[in-house]
Amino acid sequence: LAEGGARVVCPDLPGRGRSDWLAMPAHYTDRAYARALATLIARLEVDEIDWVGSSLGGHIGMMMAAEPHTPIRRLVLNDFGARVSAAALRRIAGHLLRDWRFASIADVQAHLREIHAPFGALSDAQWRHLAEHSAVADDSGRLRFHFDPGIAMRFAVPIMFDVVLWPLWEAVQCPTLI
């Protein structure tokens, strides 16, 4: 998109990547993410944006697009829709609740290849890039995933049912691609 001349902004949500961690794990909520991104959009000084979101980014985009007077002009959702299966959420919880530690980037890369294999083939260079940007060194020099472990607390309660978001979906008025 950037090569085509579009202005592209790729934020890290609070507690992820290079963003600061929140003071309390209970603060990691969908509404908190939406507020953070609404603030970012306001600081961009634009009237409207086109939103491309994968997974949680798609969920936050759908939430924001459903709001009255949203700045979202067009919405692209990848790996997200109006129903989130309990099985998918349990899979995510299983990864977030575990304290993964790795000896090397090669080990991170091997792990990511295994857990993300169903999402499609990547080149060796792409897997390496993903590994390098997914992990940071801990105090002992071992590598861990680059997010606040407190994020996992929202998954501490057993997930029994699908999350149904049809009312939210039906409130989205902008052109949308899933």
Side-chain angles (χ1 to χ4, degrees):
L1 295 172
E3 289 174 2
R7 179 181 182 194
V8 177
V9 178
C10 301
D12 289 326
L13 289 172
R16 293 166 170 82
R18 295 181 182 151
S19 285
D20 290 338
W21 293 7
L22 298 180
M24 296 180 57
H27 293 167
Y28 290 112
T29 66
D30 299 339
R31 288 285 170 207
Y33 298 141
R35 281 192 305 272
L37 292 172
T39 300
L40 172 64
I41 293 167
R43 290 180 183 247
L44 294 174
E45 298 182 0
V46 297
D47 293 328
E48 56 188 11
I49 64 166
D50 298 328
W51 184 289
V52 179
S54 291
S55 192
L56 180 57
H59 177 53
I60 303 308
M62 187 181 355
M63 286 176 58
M64 293 180 70
E67 292 292 326
H69 313 293
T70 180
I72 298 179
R73 178 178 61 173
R74 293 181 293 207
L75 178 64
V76 178
L77 302 177
N78 175 54
D79 193 29
F80 195 78
R83 178 181 292 271
V84 183
S85 77
L89 291 171
R90 285 192 296 270
R91 180 178 179 270
I92 292 168
H95 293 294
L96 289 177
L97 290 167
R98 187 163 167 199
D99 185 21
W100 299 95
R101 301 295 165 141
F102 305 94
S104 68
I105 284 292
D107 291 345
V108 174
Q109 183 176 338
H111 174 77
L112 291 174
R113 282 179 184 259
E114 180 181 332
I115 65 169
H116 293 310
F119 295 112
L122 297 177
S123 69
D124 289 342
Q126 290 169 322
W127 283 115
R128 176 101 185 160
H129 178 86
L130 184 61
E132 288 171 348
H133 291 276
S134 295
V136 293
D138 65 13
D139 293 337
S140 71
R142 293 184 56 83
L143 297 170
R144 64 167 183 76
F145 286 117
H146 203 6
F147 66 86
D148 180 353
I151 290 170
M153 293 302 102
R154 69 189 289 181
F155 291 97
V157 175
I159 300 164
M160 306 303 293
F161 302 102
D162 292 355
V163 176
V164 180
L165 300 168
W166 285 110
L168 183 66
W169 169 251
E170 290 167 354
V172 173
Q173 300 298 307
C174 64
T176 304
L177 173 66
I178 299 178

